[in-house]
């Protein structure tokens, strides 16, 4: 328990497949908090069981038999209006599903370390603005005060640095250290190059493959077994939900076994037909080599964006459960000529870093962590949609290119084009494409109630500011003067309104 009436400093890794909550203990060290089932990792899965909502292990188990009642990987759908599946006659926004997961973590943790209201939550570095906001909203719905959202690789680097002692509690690091954080989880992959010096964590470049993770390694095994089953019995076990559910569970388990042992057996049954196959680590690596190559491709792109090569990298930090696969470590060692660092538990490092960050931000924290400076980059370009004068075609005008150090401000001037114009609409997007439809829409900034009889061509300046944590802020000035009366508002089509947030909060966390 945290001593006295101080609240514990808490960090949460709200993962795609597993979530972890940690706090800084009385000895000043980050420690994961077991959930009420006694596990450190809570599957990020929600089960709708009649009127009851079950989160975690039991929900994950139920996905084998009653997939229709299970919401898994809601994190992948953050930024969408609703989760793709309907439960009973209800649809849920992904923020609410994530809030149920946070709520369980919070309640279970409070039983172990005492009540708390504040926490730092982590997000993937490649999360765009809309998803960052959605994550903060999930925290709000779960009844938490979100102290900060920090990037998962930054959190991991903080945890590695402090726990291995190459950064001390005062935040000093002997010499500038350049790290490559390789994070391969269950459903996502990302790479980040960071520079750590003195008391600052600076992200230089980051890139990710949102659709690559341990699940894909499982799938290769599933497909392999299914092919064998088809040639033996003439039936595809993937067509039967029950058989598929069991196959998914068993292939994931076999994959994890192959990280430790050089062979295992996988069974597949359907009706009276069955099949047992011996799977060796070598065969498994051969089946999945293209997936590993995809991670190599993303690393190359990230190093290029950082204008670096392997010789600039001092440390490779392994994060995410899938980095336990020996092939990952072997590939990184052979590419870099360095032994990757896996001294921390790869599925807890992010939560530990978040807990340290929480301690840094808490005035009354029990540990003396000097606040570190965290410098991020934006992982997606920011732009506005504009009509080309000659062609009338809508195109994205890029205002802030990706990988720009944050905070950053960009301004753009719009001009009124008719007399007595009453309003202006600015569409704001994030993405790398020139086509607005290929970018992710942040929202529309409407500026209205413009003063009467302003001349044609009046300048309206919109100022876009990304703060350190990647959240966007907008200000509007009219003809160089921001005191003249007019109103503006950023409408976010894919975000919940304050009323909706409050009503979900009442429903889930009270
Ligand atoms: P996320 O960040 O996506 O929530 P994690 O970092 O917890 O996920 O990683 C989960 C993934 O790690 C799962 O696909 C799981 O199968 C995989 N994993 C965990 N342990 C092992 C292991 N020993 N060998 C191979 N994969 C593992
Ligand atoms: Mg993760």
């Amino acid at each position: 328990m945290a001593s006295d009436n101080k609240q514990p400093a808490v960090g949460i890794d709200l993962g795609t497949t597993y979530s972890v909550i940690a706090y800084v203990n009385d000895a000043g060290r980050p420690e994961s908090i077991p959930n009420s089932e006694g596990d450190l990792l809570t599957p990020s899965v929600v089960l709708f069981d009649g009127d009851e909502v079950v989160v975690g292990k039991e929900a994950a188990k139920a996905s084998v038999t009653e997939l229709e009642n299970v919401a898994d990987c809601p994190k992948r759908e953050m930024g969408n209006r609703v989760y793709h599946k309907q439960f009973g006659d209800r649809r849920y926004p992904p923020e609410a599903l994530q809030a149920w997961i946070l709520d369980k973590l919070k309640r279970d943790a409070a039983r172990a370390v005492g009540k708390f209201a504040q926490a730092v939550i982590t997000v993937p570095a490649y999360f765009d603005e809309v998803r960052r906001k959605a994550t903060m909203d999930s925290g709000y719905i779960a009844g938490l005060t979100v102290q900060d959202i920090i990037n998962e690789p930054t959190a991991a680097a903080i945890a590695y640095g402090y726990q291995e002692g190459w950064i001390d509690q005062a935040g000093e690091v002997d010499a500038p250290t350049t790290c490559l954080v390789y994070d391969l989880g269950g459903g996502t992959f990302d790479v980040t190059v960071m520079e750590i010096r003195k008391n600052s964590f600076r992200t230089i470049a980051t890139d990710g493959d949102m659709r690559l993770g341990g699940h894909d390694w499982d799938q290769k095994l599933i497909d392999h077994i299914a092919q064998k089953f088809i040639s033996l019995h003439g039936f595809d076990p993937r067509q039967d939900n029950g058989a598929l559910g069991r196959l998914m569970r068993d292939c994931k388990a076999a994959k994890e076994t192959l990280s430790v042992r050089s062979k295992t057996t996988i069974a597949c049954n359907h009706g009276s037909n069955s099949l047992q196959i011996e799977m060796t680590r070598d065969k498994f690596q051969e089946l999945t080599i293209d997936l590993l190559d995809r991670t190599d491709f993303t690393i190359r792109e990230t190093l290029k964006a950082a204008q670096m090569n392997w010789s600039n990298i001092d440390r490779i930090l392994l994060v995410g459960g899938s980095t336990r696969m020996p092939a990952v470590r072997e590939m990184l060692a052979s590419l870099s000529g360095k032994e990757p660092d896996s001294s921390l538990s790869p599925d807890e490092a992010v939560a530990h870093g978040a807990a340290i960050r929480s301690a840094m931000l808490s005035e009354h924290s029990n540990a003396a962590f000097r606040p570190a400076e965290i410098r991020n980059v934006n992982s997606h370009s920011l732009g506005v949609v504009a009509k080309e004068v000659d062609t009338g075609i809508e195109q994205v005008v890029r205002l802030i290119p990706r990988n720009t150090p944050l905070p950053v401000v960009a301004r753009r001037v719009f001009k009124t084009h008719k007399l007595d114009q009453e309003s202006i609409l600015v569409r704001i997007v994030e993405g790398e494409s020139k086509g607005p439809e290929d970018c992710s829409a942040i929202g529309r900034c409407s500026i209205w109630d413009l003063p009467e009889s302003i001349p044609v061509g009046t300048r309206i300046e919109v100022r876009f500011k990304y703060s350190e944590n990647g959240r966007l802020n907008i200000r509007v000035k009219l003809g160089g003067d921001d005191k003249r009366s007019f109103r503006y508002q950023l409408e976010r089509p894919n975000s919940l309104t304050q009323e909706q947030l409050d009503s979900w909060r009442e429903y889930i966390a009270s």
Side-chain angles (χ1 to χ4, degrees):
M1 292 248 174
S3 54
D4 315 329
N5 49 10
K6 287 173 190 164
Q7 294 209 346
V10 173
I12 300 174
D13 170 8
L14 186 56
T16 310
T17 22
Y18 292 101
S19 295
V20 180
I21 184 163
Y23 81 121
V24 175
N25 67 21
D26 281 342
R29 300 199 68 79
E31 188 181 321
S32 305
I33 309 169
N35 60 22
S36 57
E37 291 84 47
D39 302 320
L40 298 180
L41 273 61
T42 301
S44 305
V45 184
V46 181
L47 165 72
F48 293 94
D49 186 14
D51 287 339
E52 254 189 288
V53 178
V54 180
V55 175
K57 186 153 78 180
E58 290 308 316
K61 269 198 219 158
S63 55
V64 177
T65 48
E66 40 180 320
L67 194 56
E68 67 281 4
N69 298 327
V70 169
D72 58 358
C73 302
K75 183 173 178 179
R76 279 196 159 166
E77 298 186 32
M78 289 292 260
N80 297 351
R81 231 191 156 94
V82 287
Y83 186 71
H84 73 277
K85 254 195 241 172
Q86 177 169 326
F87 302 98
D89 54 3
R90 292 207 70 170
R91 307 209 80 163
Y92 296 93
E95 292 95 317
L97 299 169
Q98 293 279 77
W100 262 302
I101 297 167
L102 288 172
D103 185 59
K104 176 188 169 60
L105 296 171
K106 182 187 83 174
R107 284 174 201 266
D108 288 3
R111 298 201 321 196
V113 303
K115 279 208 166 184
F116 59 90
Q118 298 193 328
V120 168
I121 303 179
T122 57
V123 291
Y126 62 79
F127 251 26
D128 60 24
E129 210 272 343
V130 175
R131 295 187 180 99
R132 284 169 195 266
K133 168 161 171 51
T135 304
M136 295 182 89
D137 288 347
S138 293
Y140 178 82
I141 294 173
L144 290 166
T145 304
V146 181
Q147 289 170 286
D148 197 4
I149 44 171
I150 63 170
N151 289 346
E152 290 162 8
T154 307
I158 291 175
Y160 266 101
Y162 279 99
Q163 295 190 46
E164 286 182 3
W166 41 278
I167 305 169
D168 62 22
Q169 275 210 348
E172 302 292 325
V173 55
D174 301 343
T177 305
T178 305
C179 299
L180 182 135
V181 184
Y182 179 103
D183 183 351
L184 186 60
T188 55
F189 170 65
D190 58 87
V191 188
T192 303
V193 176
M194 304 193 52
E195 188 187 70
I196 303 169
R197 55 164 73 221
K198 285 280 177 203
N199 202 28
S200 102
F201 293 77
R202 186 164 76 94
T203 300
I204 298 169
T206 184
D207 203 350
D209 196 333
M210 269 191 79
R211 296 271 161 191
L212 181 66
H215 286 310
D216 300 289
W217 271 258
D218 303 348
Q219 192 61 46
K220 291 279 184 185
L221 280 180
I222 295 167
D223 294 343
H224 178 76
I225 306 287
Q227 284 307 333
K228 296 274 180 205
F229 201 91
I230 294 170
S231 38
L232 194 65
H233 300 297
F235 176 79
D236 186 344
R238 291 169 298 192
Q239 310 234 299
D240 176 86
N241 276 345
L244 176 61
R246 289 190 300 276
L247 197 54
M248 283 162 71
R249 180 192 60 200
D250 296 345
C251 287
K252 177 171 181 279
K255 171 194 75 176
E256 294 178 6
T257 300
L258 290 173
S259 292
V260 184
R261 304 183 55 182
S262 58
K263 60 175 195 275
T264 184
T265 49
I266 309 174
C268 179
N269 304 294
H270 179 259
S272 57
N273 294 328
S274 67
L275 168 74
Q276 276 228 345
I277 276 196
E278 184 184 90
M279 180 56 62
T280 62
R281 186 188 289 167
D282 287 343
K283 178 70 187 169
F284 172 58
Q285 292 184 348
E286 185 190 310
L287 289 172
T288 53
I289 185 72
D290 59 317
L291 300 175
L292 205 58
D293 284 347
R294 272 168 68 185
T295 73
D296 176 23
F297 175 78
T298 305
I299 297 174
R300 282 176 212 276
E301 292 294 303
T302 315
L303 285 173
K304 215 190 286 167
Q307 299 180 321
M308 286 186 184
N309 54 48
W310 281 110
S311 67
N312 303 106
I313 304 293
D314 303 310
R315 284 171 186 270
I316 303 164
L317 308 182
L318 295 185
V319 183
S322 300
T323 60
R324 291 212 176 83
M325 292 187 291
V328 167
R329 157 186 283 287
E330 286 158 17
M331 175 193 72
L332 289 168
S334 96
L335 286 174
S336 68
K338 293 180 188 79
E339 207 37 53
D341 191 339
S342 58
S343 55
L344 290 194
S345 157
D347 23 43
E348 295 173 81
V350 171
H352 286 194
I356 294 173
R357 179 65 178 161
S358 169
M360 287 175 181
L361 297 173
S362 308
E363 243 172 77
H364 305 293
S365 146
N366 44 350
F369 287 107
R370 206 175 76 186
E373 184 198 26
I374 295 182
R375 301 287 310 269
N376 289 323
V377 294
N378 57 328
S379 48
H380 303 270
S381 303
L382 181 84
V384 293
V385 180
K387 239 186 207 149
E388 263 197 354
V389 186
D390 308 340
T391 60
I393 295 173
E394 290 195 321
Q395 285 214 321
V396 175
V397 178
R398 187 172 296 176
L399 298 182
I400 304 176
R402 63 187 297 227
N403 284 328
T404 303
L406 305 183
V408 61
V409 172
R411 293 183 171 80
R412 184 163 169 89
V413 171
F414 299 85
K415 289 184 181 153
T416 56
H417 52 83
K418 59 178 194 225
L419 196 64
D420 286 340
Q421 186 166 337
E422 287 169 359
S423 65
I424 277 192
L425 190 69
V426 183
R427 278 165 60 198
I428 305 159
V429 297
E430 271 186 338
E432 309 317 312
S433 167
K434 277 245 152 221
E437 64 285 352
D438 298 326
C439 292
S440 138
I442 292 190
R444 299 152 164 269
C445 177
S446 349
I447 305 159
W448 75 103
D449 278 355
L450 293 173
E452 274 172 33
S453 64
I454 52 172
V456 177
T458 299
R459 292 163 60 86
I460 295 177
E461 182 189 285
V462 183
R463 172 182 173 276
F464 304 85
K465 181 180 179 197
Y466 271 129
S467 56
E468 286 84 348
N469 63 12
R471 291 297 316 280
L472 184 70
N473 218 299
I474 284 178
R475 262 177 43 195
V476 180
K477 271 190 190 177
L478 185 60
D481 168 9
D482 53 2
K483 300 209 175 52
R484 282 170 72 177
S485 82
F486 64 94
R487 291 190 286 164
Y488 68 92
Q489 186 187 19
L490 180 61
E491 291 160 41
R492 295 166 163 274
N494 291 328
S495 296
L496 299 173
T497 63
Q498 189 58 45
E499 278 135 48
Q500 290 169 320
L501 289 174
D502 287 331
S503 100
W504 281 113
R505 182 172 169 135
E506 176 72 28
Y507 185 63
I508 293 175
S510 62

